Each structure stands twice: as C-alpha cells, then as structure tokens.
Amino acid sequence: MKISLNWLSDYVDITGISIDELVDKVSTAGLEVEEVIDQSDVLANMVVGFVKETKRHPNADKLTLCIVSDGTNEYSVVCGAPNVAVGQKVPFAKVGAIIPSNGLKLEKVKIRGEVSLGMICSEKELGISENHEGIMVLNPDLKEGTELAEAFGMNDIVIDVAITPNRADALSHIGFARDVAAIFKRKFHYPKVEIIESKKKSGEAAKVEIIDSKNCPRYIGKVVQGVTIKESPEWLKRKLKSIGLRPINNVVDVTNFVLYEVGQPLHAFDLDNLAENKIVVKCSAEGEKFISLDSKERILSSNDLMICDGNKNVAIAGVMGGENSEVTEQTKNILIESAFFNPSSIRKTAKRLGLSTDASFRFERGTDYNIVIWAAQRAAQLIQEVAGGVILNGEIDAYPDTIPTRSTSARFSRINKVLGYDVAKDEVLNILTDLGFEIQEVTSEGVTVNIPGFRHDVEREIDIIEEVARIYGYHKIPDVNHISVTLEEKVDQASFNDNIRNTLTSLGFYEIITNSLVNSDIAERFGHSIKVLNPQSSEMSHLRPSMLPGMLQSVSNNLKVSERNLNFFEIGKTFEKKNDGEIISFEDFIETEHLIIGITGYAIQSEWYGKDKLFDIFDLKGFVESFLMSIFPKIQFTFQQKKSDFFDLTFSIGVKENEIGIGGKVKSELLVLFDVNQDLFTYIFNIDRLKEVEVSEQTFTDLLKFPKVYRDVAFILDKTVESDKVTEIIKGASSNLLHQIKLFDIFQSDSLGEEKKSLAFQLEFYDSDKTLTEKEVEKDLRNIIKAVEKTFYAQLRGS
Amino acid sequence: MLSKISETRKSFDEDLSKVSNLKSLEELRIKYLSRKGIVPQLFEGFQDVSREEKKNVGQALNELKIFTQNQYDLFKEKLENSLKSSEEPDIDISLPGRKIELGSKHLITQTLDEIKEVFKGLGFSVYEGPELESDYNNFGALNFPDDHPARDMQDTFFINKNFLLRTHTSPVQIRLMQQKKPPIRALMPGKVFRNEAISAKSYCLFHQIEGLVVDTDITFAELKGTLVGFIKQFFGKDVVYRFRASFFPFTEPSAEMDIWWQPKGKAGRWLEILGCGMVDPNVLINVGIDPEKYIGYAFGMGIERPAMRKYGIDDIRILFDSDIRFLRQF
C-alpha cells in the first residue's frame, strides 16, 4: 500500500525524521517499506523555461523554431503547438528528461532538418491532465530555471509498504500514522470533523434494514442532498494521484479519500435510484445475476451478502457496487454507506467471484466497527466541501447487536519471560496507549486493556507481548550469545541419504533435482498417479509416480547441448494412489523415497590410454554393486533377471524377501518419448526399503597369517549356461578352504563350437589356521572339476 | 700357502670396498678372477703343496674361489640394478593421467549441508516428513484459520479439500511435537511447493530448512542469539543484519531477518533471509503441549535464494534443468 508522506503529516508530525530513519524504523516495527518513490524524480531534468524567440520552421508550416532560456543557457527547440509565443513561461524538458506520458527519454534530435534540444510540454505529456490542445503556459511570475517539480509543488515522497495480513489497521494513512506516532513518540490526531447539518434527519430520507446481521453486524447510512457532481478540486486529485489512484468525480473521490485516510471502505449510492429509498442487507438468491460497476455480469450464490434496495440488488456487499445505483453526473442526492461486514463472508464472496477490490481487501482482513460513524461524517463533510449540498441530520445506524468491547491482560513477568529481557512497566503502558489500547487496570502483576475495534489481530497475552516487542524495538532486545543445549539422543533422519550421496559422488555421479510435477501423459504411463486440483499448467498437472521421467528429461536436456556422457543420480519422493477412489486419508496413497541412478554415453572416450567404450549393462551392474558394497559392506544381495515395462535387460535386487531395486536398459519407446537417441541405463532403489535392511554390527576379522593359494581353471560349456550357476556349483563342490571365485575370462570361438563358450575362473584357497598343503588344494580342485563337468556336461579346457 | 690364501681374501675385500662403478669392478675381476688373475694363479701353485697339506689348502682354495666369485656376482648385480633404476624411462610425462572424474552433490544439497553443519553443532537433531500433507498439518494445526487471508501468503497446490503439497516444512514441526515431548531441538530440511508460474524468479518447488526449539526457558533473546550466530557463520562475521517484525500465523511475536546486500557497482538493499518467531501458544495447544509451561521458537529459510545469491545465479530454473555444464561447476 502506498503512503504519501505529505498526506501522512496531516495526522502525525514527522518533521525532523529523515526518510532513511522513518523507513528503517517502521520496517523493523512490522510495516515493511518496499520502495521509496520521490515524486520529483518524475519531473527530473524539467525546468521553467522562458520563450525568448520564435520563428517559422523553414521546412514545415506547422512547426515553430523557438529559443528557450533556462536563465543560464539558451536552447533551440522545435515546437509543434500552435499556442507557443514569445514571452511565455513554459514547462521545458531538457535532453535526458523522461516524458511522463510515454516514458520516453528525450534525446537531441533533428526535426525536418532543424536541431531540437528539448521539448516544451503539454499538460498531457506531463501527466497532469488529458489536455493536449497545446503547450502548457505557466504563471509568468515563475522564475526561469526553477525545477518544474518545485514550481508544481511536487515535493511529495511516497513509500510503498507491504502490510502483512494481520495488520488491516495499517491499511490507511491514519492507521500508519498511529504506528509512526508510537514508534517515534510523536503526537497523533484524527482530523476534526465539524459539519453543519440540516434539520431534516437522514432517517427521514432513507431507511436501512439488516436481515443478515451475522454477516453485516453494522450499517451506517448518511444522506447528502443537492450535490453537484463534477471534477474534484486540485488538492483532492493530487492526494489520490500521489498514491496511484485515478480521480473519477468529486463524490467518488471523497469516498476513496476516506478509505485511504482511515481505512473504512465507503460506498456512495444515488439515492434517487434506490427503490423506496431503502437499503436491505441480505444474502442473494442462488443463481441470481447482477451487473457490477465494472459492467460485468456476476452470477451470485446464496452465500453472497448483497446490498439491496426496495426491490433489487444494488451492490455486492463489501466487494463492489452496481451499475444501477452508481453516482453519475445527474446524481443529486447521495446515500453514504459506511458498514462493518463479517470478514470471512466477504472473503468467500470475493474469492468465489475472483474479484479483489480495495474494499474487499480491507473487509476480509477486518475493519473497525467503531469508526463507521466518524467515516460517514468525514465523507459528508468533504462531499459538502467539494460538491456542495445539504447534509441531513445524524446517521441511520443499523446495529442490531452491539459488538462488545474486547479486553485482555498481560503479565509483566510473562512479557519478560518470553522476550528474555525486562521491558520497563511504564514503557509497556506507553506503547499500549500509543497504539490505541485503553488501559483498564494496572497492578504490580500486569495490565488489562480494552482492545480497539481496529485490532482484530489482538486477543491474547502473547499478542500484547508482540505489540510491546515490535514497538520497543527488536534490536533493543539483546542477542543471547550462550545457549543451553539439551543432552538428548541425537537423531539425524537425513544421514542415510547423506551417505548415499557421498558414495555416489565418489563413484563419479552428479546429483540432480528434477520437477516433482509432470504432465498427465507421463504420469499415466509411469504409474498410478495423483492429480493436482489446481495446476499451474497442463505440463505440471500430476505428481510424479516414478523417478524415471525426470532422469529421461535430464538426459534429453543435456543431449540438446551435445553433452552425451552422463552419470546422474537423484533422490526424491514419488507419489502413487493405492486405489481409484478419492484420497481421504494417508492410507489412500503412498509417498516413497527413491534413488535413481542413470548412465549414458561413453565410459571412456577419446583417451590416449584406452579404447573408446560405451556404457553397458555391466557398467550399471558394477556401479550398483559398488554402491551396495559401500552402504552395506556385509550384506548379501540376490540379483534376479526380470521382465519390466520400462527396461530391457532388467535385473532386480533383493535382500531376504524384499525387492529393494530394479533397473536395466531403458526401453527404446521411452527414449523416443524424450528425444533420447542413445542407450540409457538406469537403476531405481526404494530408499524406504533400503533403510529397513538389517545391518548387523560390524566386527573386526583377524588378518590372515598364512599364504593364499591360487588356481586357474577353465571350462567349455554350453553358451546358455549362466556364470553365476557355475559359481554356485563350484562353491557347493568345494570345501571351506575355497574363499573366493573370480570369473576372469569369457571366450567364444569357432574352435570351441558355435554353441559353446569358455569360462575361466580364478580360485582362491586358504586356511586361516595353517598353511595349506598341495594335497588339500588338489583334492578340492578335483571335486570342483568333477561337479562342473557333471552338472553342465562341461569339459575342462586344456585337458 | 694358507696364509697367502687368507691375505688374498683380505686384499679382495679391501679392493671390493673401493669399487664404485662397473669399470673398477671389471678391473677387480681381471686382477683376481681372470685366467691370469690371482685366484687361478693360486690354483697353479696347488701342485707344489705337500701331500699332508693338500686337504686343508684345497678346501681353503675352493672356499676362496666360491667366495670371491659370489662377492663379485652380488656386487655386480647390485651395481647394475642401481644404475638401471636411476636411468630415465622413455615416457612423456606431460600426457594426461588416467583420472577418475568425481561427481558432485547438487548445489542445493551442498547449501543444506552447510546449514545443517552449523545447527548440528548447536545440538539440533535432523527430522524429515512427507511432501504430500494434510491441510490440517500444513495450515490448521499451524494456526491458519479457515477463510483467512493468511492462507493467501502461500499459493498452494491442492490435491483436494483435505490434501495438498506442503507449502513449507512446518508440518514436520506438528508431526514431531505430536510424537515427542519437550525438550525439542530439531532441524527440518525438505522440499516444498508453491503454486507459482515458472520463471527466472520463481519455480513451483524449492527447498526449506526449518528449526524448532521447545523447552521451559526459551526466550526471544535466545532465538535472536542463535540466528545471529548462524548467519555470522554462514555469511561471514561482518554480515550486517536486522530483525524486522513480521507476521506468521504459527509464531508470535514473529520476525524476519534481513541482511544488507551490497552488489558490486549497484545500490545496496536489505534482503530477507529467514522468518522466525516464538511458537504461537495455539500451535502448542494443538499438539497437546502446555503453553504456560513450555515456550518455543521456530525459524525457517529458503535455500535457493541464498545459494543463488552466493554464486551469482540469476535464473532459478537452471537449478532444476540437470545441465551437466552447470553441475560440473560445483
């Protein structure tokens, strides 16, 4: 919200406070200043100019060549206005000025061959009015060279303040002034309202009936008769313009002025357009139509509070008036509405209609039910001042149930306990008084106050503590520099993932983070996905059911920039529905943490020491094995070949009964979807299951004191025999002296036969208690050979 | 004869100890072991030895022969080896080594780690929670009234009336306080969502880290002290900061912490770094903790913005594009 400092000084004296200090102090007290706008900046590089000479432009009949003086220099200027004449004082924009009407920066130009070093401006070009008849002619008493901002009295500074949703009371100049006064210990006052009223009472010219008093607890009507609708006077227009409002006509401008002065939204009805001169406040009928002030047809619901006259709707309460009762040039008699509406009712209607107005913004945050009479009187006073007419006596005050004044107490000891600092008692009382709280009782223990009607956010002791703290100044409360640390069990639920990240980065993987939201095509293809009710776009309409699309998209992004060799991993959540019904509890969906790793492109490329090698499935398996070995050094995992919708060469990994991961070579139809034109190998682990893997306590094993014996053995087998089956048989046939089996060569050739292959194993034997004898090893070896030969009809190679 | 043999052995030892290169070794060989050398000459004289002496002398002669030959061989090998190892092999050491490319954690993870490190040192434990949350945990329990404009502060992705993508990590506070009684000293990092259009300035998700402390003697002053300590460790001890009163439904009094940001060649300004405050008594009541007995403070900060500022990144989208050229830089 914009606050004009000139306007602000009508209610609080801010002389002697620098802009920087003001901005800093109000910001730290909770009214954050986001921008400071010096209005004179708009007219920078513009001065009062004196037209010294004029002559016809040699190449254009309608242009005039002028010599303009700013008192020190003379400038030749081409001017197109017919009314320019020697001896005039004019608004002169120099080269470098930015013309307010179009935002263009003036440069030195040639117009039809003649140099022009600036511009003589019209009112429209200066943004003062719509008048573009000719150049603006200034008061001849002005001294040439005077800054135009100074000549126009545009010395205002406007600050843009972000008001938090709890501080509806600060959404006006008076509300803001109250905080400023409290912070700087200055005097704060409301403007005096002195009006001369006719004998006739407002209640004789109009009636107000509240049917829905829950949503409209109070409604004030005040009548002004015989007004003349016209343009507002300069002072009023300037005030509104200073905070970015567009003047409309004198009566509407007054209602807007009062809104920004005290925060009470007002509405002015053309009384003669209200059937039976009557206001009725009630909820709409379902499906009723209404044309609001912005000429749009609105369809209403039975929850929308409406302002009606004797027979029709005339305004959406607290949101926007209607075309049928608006103030026009013909309007003579006015009913001023000054009401208090239930915040949540206004919010529902405004939200449903997608209509946020200055009025609804304040009503839904809570306005002051006590200020309504003052606001109506203030409006009447100003309407009479700018539009003439007669103010009828008194107000129609429809207030079925008086809202009780709320009060609360605060203990001094509690203030100090929460803040950790003793704020003096007097200080507490002063702050509360300055903020408009009425002190009811003070004891040695604490204080009881009445809460002003404009502070809907204050109801409890803690709210009082906050008021004291923010006005006293957070900076004055010390930063305690020694803290007590509780000695309790240390928990780090994130440490498992930290471990995973450390392992994978040392294996050469880069961590990525991808969007958790995907489009419906992808969502449906990859799982039982969950839809977002109000997505930002169709591209982000579902929660990801799988980590795979993010990996595919990431690879795709990199291929587009010719980065083809990639090792990526991501840790993230996936979301899937458990059934087709609506999600009504946490049981209806599963959120699972996953790890995905992906490799694509070359493992070795263009290196002097090695042949180029593309990643293949065994690189993937190798990374997976290294990863598991690092995270679970002692656990035996089982690898199993599988079929999958997403992968070829699929293998799963399990521990005991649980599958903890699955992956392989991503199917080409998925690659095509993401424009990926090279093989991608990925593996997906379920982290929630990984975390469940039972890890026994790690113990130290004695180092071997006796030598190991190695034997190499190779078999010729059918091509279809799986290597780990052979390994199993070897294991089974040997004694406990065999400790490791390593497949070190796979060989196929014509000489072996088309359907055959050779597998060569290195076997490691040792006995941890003594040195092995040749005999023992030979015996094992014989058993192994016999078993393999028998099981697979294999032949020992080289025999 | 025997004395001659022992003298020869002595002089051989002496000469050998003086040998320093292959040339002097060769001279030694010629002197003692060549056909006309001292040792073969001694064998020539063996025939003149008396019969009774022959056995002793013969044995001594043989020993001398084996000894000198062995000594010579050993020494030669040693000398050759030492020469070999000092010889420069014929390689081009300017060739690149066989290096292993290390990966890296995402910039966001790195920043989170840095923050976690500071608070773990201050005795905080780390907790996590789900991203798909109930409206109650995300708003209701945190003292956001229904139909209140405070809800507009956080644009929300809803799944339906009761479920949503969490807009902050604060629901983890609720879950934690429901499970665990004070004292609590917790840190809660995680991914959060805001229903905003994707642009250079905003993304539909970001990361937050939140802290919660609940105990009997917690004060606003301690909250301030803790956070001042944190930002000094994180941004450097000369950081200029301020606490600014603010509003969050779940804390009261509430504050935001700004740091003074002075970009090179541009006007400086205050930058909001984190939000904080004393846990609102309503929140404590909602999780069954007595607000008269216990006081709490909480704070929360986004990760993306400080990280982007620290490294001069001006488009948030690059964090989530997985561009390896970007990832390799961190």
Side-chain angles (χ1 to χ4, degrees):
Chain A
M1 144 143 186
K2 289 205 169 82
I3 296 285
S4 146
L5 297 192
N6 281 352
W7 191 345
L8 185 70
S9 27
D10 291 348
Y11 320 110
V12 60
D13 180 12
I14 52 170
T15 48
I17 304 170
S18 74
I19 298 296
D20 285 347
E21 192 186 0
L22 180 78
V23 164
D24 183 58
K25 289 253 173 74
V26 298
S27 292
T28 50
L31 305 171
E32 188 190 2
V33 177
E34 292 188 315
E35 201 186 352
V36 178
I37 308 145
D38 187 340
Q39 273 199 334
S40 63
D41 287 352
V42 176
L43 299 180
N45 285 317
M46 297 189 199
V47 295
V48 174
F50 175 66
V51 183
K52 223 171 169 184
E53 280 176 52
T54 60
K55 63 178 181 194
R56 279 263 295 279
H57 191 294
N59 306 320
D61 285 350
K62 292 191 171 167
L63 298 180
T64 312
L65 292 183
C66 311
I67 300 294
V68 178
S69 162
D70 67 357
T72 32
N73 294 307
E74 293 182 357
Y75 304 85
S76 64
V77 177
V78 177
C79 181
N83 65 331
V84 65
V86 172
Q88 285 171 333
K89 295 278 172 65
V90 292
F92 175 56
K94 295 183 188 176
V95 168
I98 292 166
I99 302 304
S101 65
N102 58 18
L104 294 180
K105 192 172 177 179
L106 277 190
E107 285 175 33
K108 178 180 167 181
V109 288
K110 266 191 178 172
I111 299 174
R112 297 280 187 101
E114 293 293 326
V115 170
S116 185
L117 290 169
M119 186 166 127
I120 304 172
C121 301
S122 69
E123 288 186 19
K124 186 180 176 185
E125 281 156 346
L126 293 174
I128 292 171
S129 78
E130 290 304 299
N131 186 355
H132 197 47
E133 295 282 294
I135 55 161
M136 186 181 186
V137 180
L138 303 175
N139 183 339
D141 297 338
L142 287 168
K143 195 168 174 286
E144 59 241 55
T146 310
E147 292 289 332
L148 209 53
E150 190 189 327
F152 285 175
M154 286 177 70
N155 56 350
D156 201 1
I157 289 174
V158 174
I159 55 179
D160 200 352
V161 189
I163 306 287
T164 51
N166 57 326
R167 292 297 308 279
D169 66 290
L171 287 166
S172 69
H173 282 77
I174 283 180
F176 191 82
R178 190 182 294 114
D179 262 31
V180 170
I183 295 162
F184 291 97
K185 309 268 172 234
R186 298 278 173 118
K187 282 229 156 48
F188 157 78
H189 59 89
Y190 280 86
K192 271 221 174 73
V193 179
E194 284 168 328
I195 46 178
I196 299 157
E197 299 179 331
S198 73
K199 286 232 168 73
K200 191 176 170 187
K201 295 195 162 159
S202 284
E204 292 167 41
K207 297 247 168 312
V208 173
E209 183 189 351
I210 298 177
I211 291 177
D212 187 341
S213 63
K214 180 177 164 277
N215 288 326
C216 178
R218 192 175 194 184
Y219 194 107
I220 303 289
K222 189 164 180 65
V223 177
V224 184
Q225 290 181 329
V227 300
T228 308
I229 306 297
K230 57 183 180 188
E231 216 181 294
S232 290
E234 204 50 49
W235 72 265
L236 180 53
K237 287 198 287 185
R238 187 180 291 170
K239 279 228 153 87
L240 294 180
K241 279 197 214 162
S242 72
I243 57 166
L245 294 179
R246 191 168 55 90
I248 294 169
N249 62 46
N250 49 3
V251 170
V252 172
D253 290 352
V254 165
T255 59
N256 279 332
F257 174 84
V258 176
L259 165 68
Y260 281 96
E261 178 174 62
V262 79
Q264 172 63 42
L266 301 175
H267 189 69
F269 292 103
D270 185 330
L271 184 56
D272 298 319
N273 284 336
L274 296 180
E276 302 168 29
N277 293 339
K278 189 177 173 188
I279 288 290
V280 179
V281 190
K282 61 177 187 188
C283 275
S284 161
E286 183 73 35
E288 240 180 309
K289 286 173 182 165
F290 180 69
I291 298 181
S292 48
L293 265 180
D294 53 2
S295 307
K296 284 191 181 137
E297 188 183 81
R298 310 278 173 181
I299 297 165
L300 306 169
S301 90
S302 60
N303 292 322
D304 295 332
L305 188 69
M306 297 300 292
I307 310 299
C308 312
D309 64 6
N311 57 30
K312 62 182 184 292
N313 291 323
V314 291
I316 307 167
V319 182
M320 194 179 265
E323 264 189 342
N324 58 14
S325 59
E326 74 176 308
V327 170
T328 66
E329 279 178 36
Q330 282 72 45
T331 300
K332 290 282 165 235
N333 302 313
I334 283 171
L335 176 79
I336 302 164
E337 167 197 292
S338 177
F340 173 67
F341 299 114
N342 179 343
S344 97
S345 160
I346 302 300
R347 176 172 160 85
K348 277 184 196 148
T349 297
K351 266 222 128 161
R352 202 183 56 73
L353 295 174
L355 193 58
S356 175
T357 60
D358 284 342
S360 71
F361 191 78
R362 285 164 178 78
F363 280 128
E364 69 181 36
R365 283 164 171 70
T367 50
D368 181 2
Y369 45 83
N370 289 329
I371 202 70
V372 285
I373 289 189
W374 186 91
Q377 289 174 347
R378 174 72 167 157
Q381 174 200 22
L382 291 172
I383 287 173
Q384 190 180 49
E385 187 183 325
V386 303
V390 176
I391 302 169
L392 298 201
N393 185 260
E395 298 79 31
I396 310 159
D397 185 359
Y399 195 11
D401 303 299
T402 305
I403 300 168
T405 302
R406 296 172 302 133
S407 65
T408 192
S409 306
R411 292 161 290 173
F412 297 121
S413 61
R414 189 72 181 176
I415 297 176
N416 300 336
K417 181 163 170 70
V418 171
L419 298 182
Y421 180 67
D422 285 352
V423 181
K425 214 179 207 178
D426 285 351
E427 190 78 42
V428 171
L429 301 180
N430 285 340
I431 288 170
L432 293 174
T433 308
D434 288 348
L435 290 174
F437 292 84
E438 212 181 298
I439 310 284
Q440 284 300 298
E441 195 191 5
V442 184
T443 66
S444 57
E445 249 86 272
V447 56
T448 303
V449 292
N450 282 349
I451 300 164
F454 47 82
R455 290 309 296 269
H456 293 269
D457 59 321
V458 175
E459 47 186 345
R460 304 161 299 168
E461 182 179 48
I462 193 72
D463 303 322
I464 296 290
I465 295 175
E466 176 172 68
E467 291 307 300
V468 170
R470 72 177 183 87
I471 298 296
Y472 182 72
Y474 284 180
H475 64 283
K476 285 194 227 156
I477 299 168
D479 312 334
V480 162
N481 62 5
H482 49 269
I483 54 168
S484 56
V485 177
T486 17
L487 297 173
E488 55 170 325
E489 189 192 1
K490 217 36 179 312
V491 179
D492 188 353
Q493 293 183 345
S495 67
F496 190 81
N497 291 354
D498 292 344
N499 231 339
I500 291 178
R501 289 189 175 95
N502 289 337
T503 301
L504 287 170
T505 51
S506 59
L507 287 172
F509 285 80
Y510 288 90
E511 185 183 17
I512 57 174
I513 299 176
T514 69
N515 200 341
S516 308
L517 296 167
V518 295
N519 68 36
S520 62
D521 285 352
I522 288 172
E524 274 151 33
R525 191 179 265 270
F526 287 91
H528 209 54
S529 62
I530 297 170
K531 195 175 177 323
V532 175
L533 191 66
N534 55 338
Q536 201 42 248
S537 76
S538 62
E539 275 309 297
M540 290 162 38
S541 58
H542 287 69
L543 305 190
R544 63 178 172 201
S546 160
M547 300 299 285
L548 196 48
M551 180 60 74
L552 280 157
Q553 189 60 54
S554 297
V555 171
S556 176
N557 291 349
N558 279 282
L559 295 182
K560 281 192 196 101
V561 294
S562 301
E563 290 288 344
R564 309 197 151 270
N565 306 330
L566 308 166
N567 307 36
F568 283 152
F569 77 96
E570 180 176 13
I571 293 174
K573 302 279 188 79
T574 63
F575 309 85
E576 280 196 280
K577 269 187 178 182
K578 279 192 192 160
N579 48 52
D580 284 332
E582 173 86 343
I583 290 176
I584 48 175
S585 81
F586 283 98
E587 302 304 311
D588 296 325
F589 66 93
I590 25 175
E591 176 175 333
T592 317
E593 191 158 46
H594 278 114
L595 160 70
I596 184 168
I597 67 174
I599 53 174
T600 187
Y602 283 90
I604 302 171
Q605 188 182 28
S606 311
E607 297 290 359
W608 63 269
Y609 50 76
K611 267 197 281 183
D612 285 3
K613 185 193 159 307
L614 281 163
F615 278 125
D616 63 30
I617 190 75
F618 291 102
D619 291 303
L620 180 70
K621 196 176 175 203
F623 281 127
V624 165
E625 288 169 323
S626 304
F627 165 71
L628 289 174
M629 210 187 296
S630 158
I631 304 282
F632 301 108
K634 290 272 167 87
I635 305 279
Q636 203 67 46
F637 293 95
T638 49
F639 288 71
Q640 204 176 359
Q641 203 152 353
K642 278 249 168 124
K643 288 264 173 273
S644 149
D645 292 342
F646 307 125
F647 310 108
D648 294 322
L649 309 175
T650 314
F651 62 100
S652 71
I653 299 178
V655 57
K656 292 186 180 155
E657 301 301 291
N658 277 333
E659 182 175 295
I660 55 161
I662 189 159
K665 180 174 164 222
V666 178
K667 279 194 186 290
S668 55
E669 61 254 39
L670 296 180
L671 298 181
V672 168
L673 274 185
F674 289 87
D675 278 335
V676 172
N677 55 9
Q678 63 186 40
D679 286 348
L680 167 64
F681 300 90
T682 72
Y683 212 82
I684 303 175
F685 286 101
N686 181 323
I687 293 185
D688 295 339
R689 295 225 186 111
L690 281 182
K691 281 182 182 167
E692 286 165 11
V693 172
E694 280 172 39
V695 182
S696 51
E697 231 167 272
Q698 227 169 310
T699 51
F700 169 71
T701 314
D702 272 338
L703 302 182
L704 188 63
K705 294 192 185 76
F706 303 97
K708 292 176 174 178
V709 176
Y710 293 94
R711 287 287 182 275
D712 291 351
V713 55
F715 297 103
I716 298 164
L717 305 118
D718 280 350
K719 222 165 79 178
T720 53
V721 174
E722 285 171 20
S723 66
D724 64 343
K725 295 270 155 42
V726 182
T727 313
E728 263 171 54
I729 294 300
I730 294 176
K731 238 185 248 170
S734 61
S735 71
N736 56 4
L737 300 177
L738 175 66
H739 288 272
Q740 197 166 302
I741 307 163
K742 189 172 173 184
L743 175 66
F744 71 89
D745 189 37
I746 301 171
F747 172 69
Q748 280 177 302
S749 80
D750 293 343
S751 62
L752 291 178
E754 208 173 291
E755 294 304 315
K756 298 281 177 191
K757 66 177 170 189
S758 153
L759 299 180
F761 298 90
Q762 184 188 65
L763 309 177
E764 182 187 288
F765 298 90
Y766 62 82
D767 187 330
S768 38
D769 297 329
K770 60 178 171 39
T771 302
L772 276 185
T773 64
E774 188 73 7
K775 240 186 178 168
E776 286 170 305
V777 175
E778 286 310 318
K779 186 180 161 209
D780 251 28
L781 203 55
R782 272 200 307 279
N783 289 340
I784 287 166
I785 292 166
K786 216 191 278 167
V788 173
E789 280 176 342
K790 203 173 132 203
T791 315
F792 302 105
Y793 305 105
Q795 192 193 338
L796 186 69
R797 225 178 139 203
S799 67
Chain B
M1 185 75 183
L2 280 173
S3 62
K4 236 182 189 173
I5 290 170
S6 70
E7 266 165 40
T8 306
R9 182 164 173 163
K10 216 187 247 166
S11 74
F12 178 85
D13 277 344
E14 232 165 76
D15 286 350
L16 189 68
S17 69
K18 287 177 198 149
V19 168
S20 63
N21 54 32
L22 283 173
K23 193 172 168 247
S24 51
L25 184 70
E26 180 62 10
E27 281 164 9
L28 178 95
R29 187 188 69 82
I30 292 168
K31 180 172 173 190
Y32 289 95
L33 300 170
S34 69
R35 225 185 315 153
K36 299 260 184 255
I38 296 170
V39 178
Q41 289 298 321
L42 282 174
F43 271 92
E44 302 252 310
F46 181 66
Q47 48 197 338
D48 305 330
V49 174
S50 63
R51 182 172 292 192
E52 48 278 18
E53 267 186 329
K54 252 191 175 127
K55 194 177 168 206
N56 283 342
V57 172
Q59 201 178 347
L61 261 180
N62 271 328
E63 276 172 12
L64 178 70
K65 190 186 170 195
I66 290 166
F67 174 78
T68 50
Q69 186 66 44
N70 277 351
Q71 287 293 304
Y72 167 78
D73 287 346
L74 270 174
F75 201 85
K76 189 174 177 214
E77 198 182 355
K78 212 162 101 187
L79 203 57
E80 277 170 353
N81 276 343
S82 77
L83 284 175
K84 214 182 275 171
S85 63
S86 66
E87 215 169 79
E88 276 299 315
D90 189 17
I91 59 155
D92 174 4
I93 201 69
S94 70
L95 280 172
R98 294 186 188 93
K99 48 184 170 293
I100 293 160
E101 186 178 341
L102 294 182
S104 71
K105 292 184 199 177
H106 196 278
L107 186 58
I108 293 303
T109 306
Q110 292 182 30
T111 312
L112 271 169
D113 285 351
E114 223 178 299
I115 297 168
K116 278 195 315 202
E117 209 47 52
V118 175
F119 284 103
K120 280 162 98 172
L122 297 174
F124 284 74
S125 288
V126 182
Y127 295 90
E128 294 182 325
E131 292 168 14
L132 206 173
E133 262 293 3
S134 66
D135 187 84
Y136 178 74
N137 283 344
N138 194 77
F139 288 128
L142 288 160
N143 198 34
F144 284 78
D146 288 344
D147 289 315
H148 192 274
R151 288 187 168 224
D152 295 344
M153 292 166 85
Q154 304 182 352
D155 293 319
T156 311
F157 284 114
F158 286 98
I159 301 303
N160 57 37
K161 201 166 98 265
N162 297 317
F163 282 89
L164 44 76
L165 289 172
R166 66 175 178 193
T167 56
H168 45 195
T169 41
S170 312
V172 187
Q173 289 186 21
I174 298 299
R175 287 171 175 273
L176 184 63
M177 287 190 286
Q178 281 168 344
Q179 286 161 17
K180 187 174 161 16
K181 293 296 142 215
I184 290 172
R185 209 170 174 81
L187 201 61
M188 294 151 283
K191 201 177 275 179
V192 302
F193 298 81
R194 295 282 165 94
N195 197 341
E196 288 172 0
I198 292 183
S199 70
K201 297 250 170 282
S202 75
Y203 201 74
C204 56
L205 61 87
F206 62 96
H207 295 76
Q208 250 189 7
I209 194 158
E210 192 148 324
L212 172 73
V213 171
V214 184
D215 209 339
T216 48
D217 291 300
I218 297 299
T219 65
F220 188 71
E222 178 170 334
L223 166 65
K224 282 186 72 189
T226 305
L227 293 178
V228 168
F230 161 66
I231 64 151
K232 282 188 175 169
Q233 289 196 41
F234 192 75
F235 292 103
K237 69 175 177 6
D238 298 326
V239 65
V240 176
Y241 61 88
R242 71 175 183 188
F243 284 88
R244 175 168 51 74
S246 189
F247 168 70
F248 306 104
F250 39 98
T251 53
E252 178 127 4
S254 301
E256 283 176 286
M257 200 174 183
D258 298 337
I259 61 163
W260 184 254
W261 186 251
Q262 184 68 65
K264 262 188 202 133
K266 283 190 199 157
R269 63 195 168 98
W270 287 109
L271 278 182
E272 176 196 324
I273 285 299
L274 54 82
C276 60
M278 308 308 288
V279 178
D280 194 289
N282 286 350
V283 174
L284 295 176
I285 292 168
N286 288 341
V287 294
I289 292 175
D290 178 2
E292 190 57 29
K293 184 169 172 201
Y294 291 106
I295 298 180
Y297 70 73
F299 59 88
M301 66 184 290
I303 305 303
E304 273 75 357
R305 277 175 210 296
M308 287 167 69
R309 210 157 287 126
K310 190 166 172 181
Y311 298 102
I313 298 164
D314 52 14
D315 188 335
I316 191 170
R317 289 168 297 193
I318 201 167
L319 296 173
F320 306 110
D321 274 350
S322 313
D323 192 322
I324 188 79
R325 298 168 302 174
F326 169 77
L327 300 171
R328 278 202 189 105
Q329 293 183 32
F330 300 100

